[in-house]
Amino acid sequence: MKTKNFLETESDTRAEQAAPQQHPSVLDQAGGTTGVIYSSLPAVAFVVANSAGGMKVAVIAALAVAVAIGVVRLVRKESVQPAISGVFGVAIAAGVVWFTGSAKDYFLIGIWASLAGAIAFLISVVVRWPLAGVLWNAATGKGNVWRADKRSRLYYDSATLVLATVFGARFAVQQYFYETDQVGSLGFAKIAMGFPLLALAFLVVAWAARSSNKRLKAIGLLPAKRG
């Protein structure tokens, strides 16, 4: 059997260290394409079951689907983190419904979370700490050097405002359906305005990051070898 000598081992180690670190994408963190699909199923189950059997049946159906998704992912040896988060979120929403006795309240936490997100993004732009830049650069380990460049801040301001618009639109549309007691439309809006819209917003964030990195390299605030 052939064994590696010291030089070959050292060379392999250096190659591994030199390889660029791959950060998981937003889709990867959501559990991939199947994770995105799974995340919408409890809401679908809730809306369908509410129409067919009423509020209590809908709550049980949503919880059952969330737990079933967790079991399936566990059996398939997939990441169960998205499933655990899903079960936790559905359980809280179901608890609110059970307490208030209103099916539309299943979506209440998500509606107000959207408003809170929109406000947070807007405030971050006003105070000149756009969250798109803060979160992206924290995740990629580049720190806050981007804040020293006005144009980079402008890129991240734009991306943050897009995110604020997405969250604000979610709130406005879903709050309208909530006020008019349209549970079915609420479920559709939650799914349609969920990950698909957020994915589009993150494309803008990625554009801002690339533009900022290019700018920072050009003016010497970021080493050219770093991406």
Side-chain angles (χ1 to χ4, degrees):
M1 187 174 78
K2 184 179 179 180
T3 58
K4 291 185 177 181
N5 60 36
F6 175 78
L7 291 177
E8 290 175 326
T9 303
E10 187 178 15
S11 177
D12 290 345
T13 302
R14 288 178 178 175
E16 289 175 1
Q17 292 175 343
Q21 209 173 15
Q22 296 296 322
H23 296 279
S25 66
V26 178
L27 184 60
D28 292 334
Q29 293 177 21
T33 304
T34 54
V36 173
I37 296 173
Y38 286 159
S39 68
S40 66
L41 292 181
V44 173
F46 182 88
V47 172
V48 173
N50 182 66
S51 299
M55 184 193 72
K56 291 184 179 181
V57 175
V59 169
I60 294 171
L63 284 171
V65 168
V67 171
I69 290 171
V71 172
V72 169
R73 295 191 73 96
L74 186 63
V75 170
R76 296 176 61 178
K77 297 182 179 180
E78 298 174 345
S79 173
V80 295
Q81 183 177 352
I84 293 173
S85 300
V87 172
F88 185 70
V90 171
I92 293 177
V96 172
V97 171
W98 206 274
F99 179 77
T100 64
S102 176
K104 68 181 182 179
D105 287 340
Y106 178 85
F107 304 95
L108 189 60
I109 294 176
I111 291 173
W112 289 101
S114 293
L115 178 61
I119 293 173
F121 283 120
L122 284 174
I123 290 176
S124 74
V125 172
V126 173
V127 300
R128 304 180 74 179
W129 278 86
L131 279 174
V134 173
L135 297 177
W136 181 279
N137 286 279
T140 55
K142 290 187 173 66
N144 295 320
V145 65
W146 58 275
R147 295 197 69 250
D149 177 53
K150 184 176 180 180
R151 191 179 299 179
S152 289
R153 290 200 308 270
L154 180 60
Y155 293 142
Y156 285 119
D157 278 344
S158 301
T160 302
L161 289 174
V162 170
L163 285 166
T165 301
V166 168
F167 279 84
R170 281 184 184 176
F171 172 76
V173 172
Q174 293 180 38
Q175 179 67 9
Y176 170 77
F177 289 139
Y178 179 86
E179 292 292 342
T180 54
D181 297 317
Q182 299 183 54
V183 178
S185 297
L186 259 175
F188 176 79
K190 180 180 178 63
I191 295 168
M193 303 184 76
F195 191 84
L197 272 186
L198 195 59
L200 290 175
F202 270 102
L203 288 177
V204 179
V205 175
W207 162 81
R210 286 195 300 269
S211 300
S212 173
N213 287 349
K214 184 177 179 180
R215 165 72 177 173
L216 294 176
K217 290 174 185 177
I219 63 177
L221 289 179
L222 195 66
K225 66 179 180 179
R226 294 183 64 184

